[in-house]
Each structure stands twice: as structure tokens, then as C-alpha cells.
Amino acid sequence: MTTENGVRRYLIETWGCQMNQHDSEKVAGILSGLGYQPTHDELQADVVLLNTCSVREKAESKVFGRLGELRRLKEARPDMIIGVIGCVAQQAGEAIFRRAPYVDVVMGPRNLTRIGSLLDEARREGRSISLARDDDPIVFPTDTTARAAGPRAYVTVMEGCNKACAFCIVPFTRGREVYRDPEAILAEVRELPARGHCEIELLGQNVNAYHWGDQDLGSLLHMADRVPGVRRLRFTTSHPGHLKQGIMDAMRDVPTVCNHLHLPAQSGSDRVLRAMNRGYTRSRYLSRIDYLRRAIPGMAFSTDLIVGFPGETSDDFEATLSLIREVEYDQVYAFAYSRRPGTPAMSLEAWPGEEVKRQRLQELLAVQESIQTRRNGALVGTVFEVLVDGRGRVDNGLLKGRTRCNRIVHFAGCARRGEFVDVRITRANAHSLIGEPLVARGAA
Ligand code: SAM
């Protein structure tokens, strides 16, 4: 083993959603507990784990592209361990060894706590694999989580997804929903402020479907709000069909809950929503947006949209454009439909074709860009409370933080990470705001 002072080093590369990022933090914590040290340098790493996403084909192919690069390292250092973990691992399983025989470990997203024994087994036996079945119990490893630096901390409240959206592979890779005991969730939240995390983001693939006895996500928000040191609460990802009145009222009434909601619409056409098996209509979706906008000052919305779902006509696509014009989202994540093996939509006709999808995606993004430019421009002169989380990559040297409504703000100054600063907006881009600080309000 290529170790200095007998210390083994690990590198985790993460693709995909917040759940994947948080899974990487959990795996990092387990490895640190076993005496491994983190490194950013692949040449120093004894273990390289790719934590993967299989939601779209492109994400999956990037993993195999990266494995091709790692193969050269492995040839030079045969004792290095390469692992594929997360959703691609669960989906492809043994096939990964066939396609990339130099991979040593394959581990699905419900098996994180097994990482130590899988690494040992791979060293002993040459390779190891662990994939979850639907009825496997889930352990939520939390005591050791190695969280990224910064004021925001993720806390898992549930795993899996019981929905059957025709396009989506997540129910196959992450299995059925499993909920965490609210006492365990709260115990984890209570630990976080002392470690520098005053903004808590509750996580689940279907977070607003959370329930435990008669408690739901709304109850969790009320309970977490009372934890000393918690200044902001967020949650993701919500399904519009589970956005019950009680949750919306908790968003309105609980002081620390931020005035931003990510609410994936996927399409603005009822015909497509039905074909996707989303379980709501455009007007029911809009009624939720309307309620929250009236109830909560400065409420901001973001969404996920898919263009080119099988059978999407130009009228359906126009309906999606009219949805974004009507809602005026503050941010949109838009994707060209990608056929995923095993999902119900695989059996549908592969139409529209790639070129139409590409054009629709570009058109949608251009419409959204102009909406964001206009909406952000209207904020010049406004003062926002910004929670500093580091320095920006673009505006060199400027501090970076987020407003409660989840907008990114850059400003000059010398505040520390975790500090709240009131910032007056002086300039606006489509994707961020630039401002000048008023008086610093002190760290959390
Ligand atoms: N819980 C979310 C929801 O309510 O739908 C799903 C989260 S999924 C991991 C993130 C986003 O990826 C989805 O909202 C969807 O827009 C997109 N996505 C999922 N499957 C896709 C596919 N087959 N092709 C293109 N985009 C897809």
C-alpha cells in the first residue's frame, strides 16, 4: 500500500443531488473513523470512490469516462482501490466489473455503513460488492458524518421514493421510502450549531412525504425551529402532490423556515404530467404556488423541468413555457429527457428526437434567463440578510453568501463564514446579485 506513516488516504468524487453529496459526507465520516485521511490529490489516494448519479444517461457515461482515466493510475499502482458507489452502482451492479474490470468495490446508496468491510474484502478477495434489496433495513449513519465546511448542514429525514414517475430511475436505485425517527433527527440537529452550522437543510428524495405516527414534515420544522442556534431551515426535494396545507402553514408560521421552495413541476402540460404519472395537474400545482406567494413575503421558487418527454408536442412544450412565464421562477433546472433502462417511459415511442429536445431546452433556458435577469434587476436597492459561506469563484476575492430566499450574493468585505451581513444590492446578474455590506450582525 502506498502510504506515508502507515496512513491511508481517500478521495471521494461526487455527482448528482444533495442526497449524493450528503452520502459522500457520511462515507467520509466512516472512513475517517477507520483512520483514513482525506486527500484532494488522486496521486496520493489509496482509495478513490466515485459516488455516482444515474438520473440521466449523460451523468452515467461521465462515470465510465472518469473510470477510464483512473485505470491508468491503477496500472501504475495496482494496490490502489477504485470504488463505484451510489446510484450507478445500484443500477449496474456486477456489470460494472465486466465493463471496468479494474474496479474493486461496488456499493449501492443504501449500504453506506458497509464501506469499511467492503474495502477489507476487496483487499483480501480482489473485489467486493454490496447492493441493497428493497426490504433491507436502513441504518442512518450520522454520528460520524464529515460535513463540508460552511454554515449549511444536511440532515437526512428519509430515504427512498415510493412514487412511480415514468421517467425516473430513483425508486429503482434508492428503493422504497424509509423514515427516520424524529427524535434521532432532532438529536442530530441539536449537535450542529456548536459545530458551526446554523442553517439546516432537511433531506429526502421525497422530503414532504415524511411521516412518523401523526408527525409530518411540518412537525419536524416546528421542532427543529426550537433548537437553540438554528437560524435557518430549508428542506428538499418536495413533490407537489405531497405539499399539504399543514406543511405550507408551517412554512408561513415557523420563523426560521426560509422563504424559498424548490418544487419540481417537470412540465406545464396536463397531458404530459399524466403521461409522466406525476399525480397532479398544472392548476393544482399553481394553487400551491399562489397560496405560498400570498402567505409568505418575498417567497422565491425554483423548479425542475424535463423537455422532450415521449410524445411531447409543440403545444405541450408551449404549455411549459407558459408555466415558467406565469410562475416567474427564480431558478430553473431544465433537462432534456433521457431514457433510463427499467423505467416505465422506456416502452414509449422515442419521440421527439435529440435535435428537437436540444432546441426546446435552449429556448426554455433563454426564456428563463430573461425572467431571472428582470426579476433580479428589480432587486437593486433592496437590503438582504446574507449568510456568508465563503468566497465566490467568479467575482474574484468577493465574499459569497445566500439570502433566506436562496439567492447568491457577492460583496466586498471581511466577514467570516457563518456570519450574517445585511447587504444592499447594487448590481444584478441573471444568476447572482452583487452588493455592498451595511453593518455586520455577528456570527451565528
Ligand atoms: N424528487 C424529485 C421530484 O419531485 O421529481 C426528483 C429528483 S431527481 C433526482 C432530479 C431531477 O432530475 C428531476 O426532478 C427531473 O427533473 C430530472 N430527471 C429525472 N429523471 C430524468 C430523466 N429520465 N431525464 C431527464 N431528467 C430527469
Side-chain angles (χ1 to χ4, degrees):
M1 184 88 335
T2 49
T3 50
E4 235 174 71
N5 318 322
V7 175
R8 285 179 169 149
R9 294 195 168 75
Y10 70 89
L11 170 66
I12 307 179
E13 296 180 7
T14 309
W15 280 267
C17 62
Q18 290 97 327
M19 323 318 138
N20 271 17
Q21 287 168 30
H22 191 38
D23 283 350
S24 290
E25 295 180 336
K26 292 174 188 171
V27 171
I30 294 170
L31 292 179
S32 296
L34 294 171
Y36 287 81
Q37 284 184 5
T39 176
H40 293 297
D41 180 359
E42 61 192 32
L43 298 174
Q44 297 276 321
D46 303 290
V47 174
V48 177
L49 300 176
L50 306 186
N51 189 6
T52 58
C53 167
S54 57
V55 159
R56 284 169 295 279
E57 194 181 357
K58 209 164 161 191
E60 195 172 320
S61 5
K62 278 188 193 160
V63 171
F64 286 98
R66 180 67 180 130
L67 281 175
E69 292 167 11
L70 291 174
R71 174 191 201 153
R72 283 195 286 279
L73 281 184
K74 175 98 178 170
E75 279 164 3
R77 292 165 48 214
D79 52 358
M80 178 183 140
I81 301 256
I82 299 178
V84 178
I85 66 176
C87 292
V88 172
Q90 182 68 34
Q91 177 76 7
E94 292 273 355
I96 294 178
F97 293 136
R98 289 196 288 279
R99 192 160 161 193
Y102 44 91
V103 168
D104 306 280
V105 174
V106 170
M107 178 180 80
R110 282 168 93 115
N111 307 69
L112 306 184
T113 47
R114 297 210 54 219
I115 187 65
S117 54
L118 289 173
L119 291 176
D120 289 345
E121 195 179 319
R123 284 195 187 100
R124 251 190 352 261
E125 317 281 338
R127 68 177 42 161
S128 62
I129 181 163
S130 181
L131 305 174
R133 293 197 327 251
D134 247 10
D135 51 355
D136 280 348
I138 287 199
V139 184
F140 294 97
T142 55
D143 307 350
T144 53
T145 304
R147 291 192 157 82
R152 184 181 292 194
Y154 296 131
V155 172
T156 303
V157 305
M158 62 171 295
E159 283 283 356
C161 180
N162 288 356
K163 293 281 164 201
C165 300
F167 52 82
C168 193
I169 206 158
V170 169
F172 303 93
T173 57
R174 289 194 171 255
R176 303 215 29 103
E177 291 173 7
V178 179
Y179 316 98
R180 221 176 139 199
D181 182 338
E183 271 314 311
I185 297 170
L186 275 185
E188 188 178 353
V189 172
R190 282 190 204 103
E191 297 284 313
L192 294 171
R195 298 181 185 177
H197 304 291
C198 62
E199 180 171 305
I200 311 299
E201 184 153 354
L202 305 180
L203 289 188
Q205 291 294 338
N206 215 354
V207 71
N208 54 342
Y210 174 85
H211 57 89
W212 186 272
D214 57 1
Q215 303 187 59
D216 64 5
L217 179 68
S219 335
L220 283 185
L221 294 173
H222 278 281
M223 290 189 283
D225 173 72
R226 291 194 285 270
V227 172
V230 170
R231 302 274 297 267
R232 288 181 174 181
L233 282 171
R234 303 183 189 275
F235 55 91
T236 207
T237 296
S238 296
H239 189 285
H242 290 283
L243 194 59
K244 292 179 297 184
Q245 190 62 41
I247 297 175
M248 294 196 290
D249 290 344
M251 291 183 69
R252 179 195 60 197
D253 298 336
V254 175
T256 51
V257 175
C258 292
N259 53 350
H260 165 248
L261 180 66
H262 183 69
L263 196 60
Q266 310 300 1
S267 170
S269 151
D270 279 339
R271 217 182 58 80
V272 174
L273 287 174
R274 243 189 337 272
M276 287 177 165
N277 196 26
R278 287 290 286 174
Y280 54 86
T281 58
R282 174 188 174 116
S283 77
R284 207 169 126 214
Y285 178 90
L286 284 171
S287 71
R288 304 292 188 274
I289 300 270
D290 188 49
Y291 181 85
L292 288 169
R293 231 177 215 146
R294 286 170 195 272
I296 302 172
M299 187 68 201
F301 293 97
S302 53
T303 197
D304 293 342
L305 293 167
I306 295 178
V307 299
F309 184 76
E312 183 192 74
T313 62
S314 51
D315 283 353
D316 293 322
F317 175 63
E318 282 303 321
T320 298
L321 291 182
S322 90
L323 181 79
I324 65 175
R325 289 195 181 102
E326 186 168 348
V327 175
E328 298 216 311
Y329 291 103
D330 298 283
Q331 197 169 7
V332 164
Y333 301 88
F335 312 101
Y337 169 69
S338 166
R339 284 157 61 85
R340 304 314 291 128
T343 57
M346 271 304 274
S347 61
L348 301 175
E349 197 187 347
W351 174 89
E354 293 308 315
E355 182 52 24
V356 173
K357 287 193 231 174
R358 198 187 58 76
Q359 282 170 7
R360 288 183 184 171
L361 187 59
Q362 272 183 358
E363 187 176 347
L364 188 150
L365 292 174
V367 171
Q368 180 58 24
E369 182 96 356
S370 67
I371 292 172
Q372 281 177 217
T373 304
R374 183 167 39 73
R375 280 180 72 76
N376 281 352
L379 297 175
V380 171
T382 312
V383 175
F384 284 104
E385 174 203 78
V386 174
L387 174 55
V388 178
D389 58 24
R391 294 206 175 260
R393 272 176 297 182
V394 266
D395 285 272
N396 258 340
L398 293 188
L399 288 168
K400 180 174 79 61
R402 286 199 183 247
T403 64
R404 286 169 61 88
C405 57
N406 211 32
R407 287 190 169 84
I408 296 172
V409 179
H410 294 99
F411 64 99
C414 56
R416 284 171 293 128
R417 245 186 195 158
E419 216 166 302
F420 287 88
V421 181
D422 286 336
V423 178
R424 187 187 309 283
I425 304 308
T426 52
R427 264 191 307 138
N429 301 320
H431 300 279
S432 65
L433 304 170
I434 295 138
E436 57 195 18
L438 305 183
V439 188
R441 285 214 233 148

